[in-house]
Amino acid sequence: MTCSVAVYDAFPVDLLVALIVCPAILYLGVAYEVPPSLYEISRFLGQISFPIYAVHFPLMFIFNFAVRKFGVPGELTIWLFIPCLFVGCSLLFHLFDVPVRRYLSDEFIKRRPPEIQHQPTL
């Protein structure tokens, strides 16, 4: 979000984000208890956070190419991109991330020495 701040010299903004905004977000994330009414949405956002981080940048280029090709107005682009990003990353999480993690976990457990195979994992 801070990248959208239009300043000639971005150094002060970057420094402010690095020294104040990011530590504040981290502190609030650790100190804040999610109320039960927000648990499901928080869980969903947590699940798709890494896929969003991993694919948002290349997806922006693909999406921008597509909307230009179809003549979508520029101000409408972000309103189309965000829902597509959330849906796409949710699919990526459920169809790719979960099965790959399950497979890798199973392979890791198979390769453990016999004396530690039956110990519970955290």
Side-chain angles (χ1 to χ4, degrees):
M1 298 289 275
T2 60
C3 293
S4 64
V5 176
V7 292
Y8 181 74
D9 182 14
F11 178 75
V13 174
D14 291 344
L15 188 62
L16 177 74
V17 169
L19 294 178
I20 305 223
V21 175
C22 288
I25 290 171
L26 183 62
Y27 173 77
L28 290 172
V30 171
Y32 180 70
E33 177 107 14
V34 176
S37 62
L38 295 177
Y39 177 76
E40 286 302 316
I41 189 71
S42 299
R43 185 171 162 254
F44 170 73
L45 292 173
Q47 288 174 340
I48 68 168
S49 65
F50 183 74
I52 286 176
Y53 167 75
V55 302
H56 78 279
F57 200 71
L59 216 57
M60 280 189 321
F61 287 108
I62 295 167
F63 198 81
N64 280 332
F65 173 77
V67 295
R68 283 191 189 127
K69 183 169 177 66
F70 293 110
V72 176
E75 59 275 357
L76 188 59
T77 303
I78 192 71
W79 297 107
L80 293 173
F81 178 71
I82 290 176
C84 290
L85 180 68
F86 275 47
V87 169
C89 287
S90 180
L91 290 171
L92 188 62
F93 174 77
H94 291 290
L95 299 177
F96 179 77
D97 194 29
V98 170
V100 168
R101 285 181 193 226
R102 186 176 300 126
Y103 171 77
L104 292 174
S105 294
D106 291 346
E107 287 299 312
F108 180 73
I109 289 170
K110 285 180 194 173
R111 294 173 190 213
R112 283 186 180 174
E115 63 271 8
I116 61 168
Q117 277 205 359
H118 298 292
Q119 291 182 359
T121 58
L122 299 177

